[in-house]
Amino acid sequence: MSSPATDRTVGVLLPRDLPADRILPYARRAEELGFGALWVVEDLGFRGGIAQAAAVLASTDRIRVGIGLLPAGARNVAFAALEIASLAQLFPGRADVAVGHGMPDWMRSVGQWPRSPLALLREYVDALRALLRGELTQRRGQYVHLDGVQLDPSALPDVVPDILAGVRGPKSLALSGEVADGTVLAEPVAPEYARAALGHIAAGRPHRLVAYNIASVDADPLTALAAARPGLEWIGEPDWHAHIAPLPFADELVALRSGCASREEFARRMPDGWVARLAVAGSPEEARARLDGLRAAGVTDTMLAPVGPDPVEALESLATVLGA
């Protein structure tokens, strides 16, 4: 395994609810520990993805910063291109951007859920890439309308960032394989889910696969599993079915959730073996083996989501997976 200073395959997620005064120390510590990337999230009601990415990039020197994800319905594509080009120009080669549908309920709550999410995403990614390349762009699509829009040469980045798609449904995954430079999979990502997703993506050119996973590492594996368990309480809900369906215990998991009165009860009752399959959790050696399994399944970038009361402190234990 490559050294922490050069290994870009393992990174961390910035917790969406981290107190504001801890965001930059968290990012700087992640870089010091040798993580190759840090991804920020843009969830409705929390913090904006572009603002977070800009702050993290400005306060660090090396770490690659991803935004996962920007909902296509939330920003006019031309103005999104301005923001992304600025990040890429100011911090060349260090920015990745994922766009996607956004959570349907969130997008409906702000009146921005399209009749055809697939059509919007296709048009958006195509136009965004054209703009970032400096092309004079004409689009009269179902959703994206551009009449001779072009970025000024002074605003064009030397390195156009990868545009990834954060999606999960089979049709959306296939679209990502057609139009995007990579796909971002939300947690949990087991090797079985990664392989199933790649089967739908079926990209005909190099295509990154970024996987988010709840993570907890401790010398005592049972302590690590116990810490990871609350982070998995959502996976029994219908929106997460695609993540679970390829697993051999999928039917048992669905049955367990249906028999539990709450997500918290479901998380408590999950067998340790399931937690170990659904998170990067255990001893450092077990966590490294889990990362190896994800790489073998086609994951190019794994982003670890720390758990516990102190995310900055959790970075220290997660960094043990970067050792030789």
Side-chain angles (χ1 to χ4, degrees):
M1 185 175 181
S2 31
S3 70
T6 58
D7 184 359
R8 292 194 173 186
T9 66
V10 181
V12 291
L13 286 170
L14 178 70
R16 65 182 185 179
D17 58 352
L18 193 65
D21 62 354
R22 305 196 72 194
I23 291 174
L24 300 185
Y26 179 96
R28 288 191 287 264
R29 188 59 182 145
E31 181 172 77
E32 291 168 359
L33 289 168
F35 289 103
L38 183 150
W39 279 65
V40 302
V41 298
E42 180 171 271
D43 287 348
L44 185 63
F46 290 86
R47 297 185 177 103
I50 294 170
Q52 291 180 88
V56 170
L57 285 162
S59 68
T60 54
D61 298 316
R62 170 194 57 82
I63 200 165
R64 196 176 182 101
V65 178
I67 305 174
L69 52 82
L70 301 177
R75 290 175 182 83
N76 177 281
V77 69
F79 287 91
L82 301 184
E83 300 284 3
I84 294 166
S86 297
L87 286 180
Q89 192 176 57
L90 291 166
F91 307 100
R94 293 182 58 204
D96 292 313
V97 178
V99 296
H101 306 307
M103 295 295 286
D105 287 347
W106 292 348
M107 300 309 292
R108 289 189 183 102
S109 75
V110 297
Q112 294 298 328
W113 184 249
R115 186 165 296 181
S116 177
L118 287 171
L120 170 57
L121 190 59
R122 179 185 295 278
E123 293 176 11
Y124 199 94
V125 171
D126 177 66
L128 181 59
R129 180 175 284 109
L131 290 164
L132 292 173
R133 289 175 176 167
E135 298 174 15
L136 182 64
T137 308
Q138 299 276 358
R139 294 290 189 278
R140 280 291 169 184
Q142 186 176 350
Y143 295 100
V144 174
H145 298 170
L146 297 173
D147 186 9
V149 179
Q150 186 176 30
L151 292 187
D152 188 84
S154 67
L156 289 175
D158 291 331
V159 180
V160 175
D162 284 347
I163 304 300
L164 301 93
V167 291
R168 61 159 59 107
K171 292 181 180 179
S172 296
L173 289 167
L175 176 62
S176 179
E178 289 181 47
V179 304
D181 299 309
T183 301
V184 178
L185 301 178
E187 71 279 4
V189 180
E192 294 90 340
Y193 175 45
R195 292 189 185 97
L198 284 170
H200 293 298
I201 291 167
R205 58 189 175 89
H207 190 92
R208 292 169 61 187
L209 189 66
V210 179
Y212 294 175
N213 266 309
I214 299 297
S216 175
V217 181
D218 194 276
D220 177 7
L222 293 180
T223 298
L225 293 174
R229 187 178 295 276
L232 297 170
E233 66 178 27
W234 293 91
I235 67 169
E237 306 308 307
D239 283 344
W240 273 260
H241 178 72
H243 300 245
I244 305 306
L247 295 169
F249 52 86
D251 291 342
E252 296 171 77
L253 188 148
V254 171
L256 175 62
R257 179 63 186 95
S258 67
C260 293
S262 66
R263 293 190 299 268
E264 293 78 12
E265 180 189 353
F266 166 71
R268 286 196 306 271
R269 291 176 57 185
M270 272 197 296
D272 283 345
W274 294 7
V275 177
R277 293 283 291 275
L278 293 165
V280 176
S283 68
E285 295 76 17
E286 289 169 336
R288 289 189 202 112
R290 178 93 166 88
L291 293 174
D292 289 342
L294 290 167
R295 290 190 190 101
V299 171
T300 60
D301 308 71
T302 296
M303 299 301 124
L304 306 176
V307 294
D310 188 342
V312 178
E313 182 179 321
L315 288 175
E316 309 288 331
S317 61
L318 294 187
T320 61
V321 305
L322 300 174

